[in-house]
Amino acid sequence: LNLLFMLIEHQALGAQILRLDDFFYLSPIQLPSNHPRRGGVPVLFPQFADRGPLKKHGFVRNLNWQLVTDAPLLESHQLTYRLQIQDKDMPEWPYCANLELSLSASINDVEISLIICNNGPNPFSWTGGLHPYFFLSNLLDTSIKGLQNQRVSNRFDQDQRIHSAELLTLSNKPLESLFHTSTPLQIISPKQHFALKSEGFTEWMIWNPAEQGADDFIDIPLADWKNFLCVEPVIASEPLQLLPQASFTGKLTVTNLLNSANPQP
């Protein structure tokens, strides 16, 4: 049996899961300590990307969360972080919210949940989600199953409205496509095979900068664009409103089908 707790890295800044062997990529380049790491599973809130007036992907990934649970066992690992936001903490976002990020991991399965509670007197709307960087041996050998006939907004092909092919095949061209569906997906390659399920979130963002885009990121080694793919469960197109005392729960479940089909002794 693997001692799973030896394989997980995480940090209070952004409640970021940094590394989970066989699942998530983490860049070896580390910026100063007040920057989120490139890789792992960042949390995006209360704004997805640049879809609003706040900084890209919101501000919670730049805040220190409170570690509540860190329970490594022989065959599993439970992890919980919490963050309290008061209406005076962020002048650009004057609302009260409690966030909780939880991880439950075993050798072949990972479940990550994000709970957002409005504990203030005023409603607020938000976009965001999870931004996992899935580890790949080679992006160019990888495809995604489950998106056939789904609506899509493609940054690099704005005439595309529907993805018609059975598989989304990946190439050396930049990819940034928002699929307006939360259907289950599979990431398939000769050395990786992940099954992804999303609950609560409404869309999938699929992103890789390719070589020409990776050159714009100082925290990604130039050749490493081939070693990850971001498949993100998000709420992006239509902001979700939370009334006072209301809450949202979003979940991402990932199963390593390659290991499940060929269990290690």
Side-chain angles (χ1 to χ4, degrees), residues 1-3 7 22 75 107-108 191 256-265:
L1 292 174
N2 290 324
L3 297 178
L7 309 179
D22 298 329
E75 298 182 44
I107 297 300
N108 296 321
K191 295 185 178 180
N256 187 339
L257 294 179
L258 203 62
N259 280 357
S260 296
N262 301 283
Q264 299 298 312

Side-chain angles (χ1 to χ4, degrees), residues 146-165:
L147 294 169
Q148 188 172 26
N149 298 325
Q150 299 295 338
R151 293 189 304 119
V152 61
S153 298
N154 184 337
R155 177 182 176 185
F156 299 104
D157 182 0
Q158 297 187 11
D159 292 331
Q160 185 184 20
R161 294 291 182 265
I162 300 292
H163 175 75
S164 57

Side-chain angles (χ1 to χ4, degrees), residues 19-63:
R19 191 197 308 270
L20 178 56
D21 279 15
D22 298 329
F23 284 93
F24 303 123
Y25 164 88
L26 180 66
S27 171
I29 299 175
Q30 186 167 359
L31 298 179
S33 58
N34 60 338
H35 287 74
R37 295 289 301 274
R38 177 70 59 182
V41 188
V43 178
L44 315 180
F45 179 88
Q47 177 182 296
F48 178 76
D50 53 3
R51 295 171 178 249
L54 304 177
K55 65 164 57 178
K56 186 176 182 180
H57 288 325
F59 51 77
V60 303
R61 64 182 185 153
N62 296 98
L63 299 178

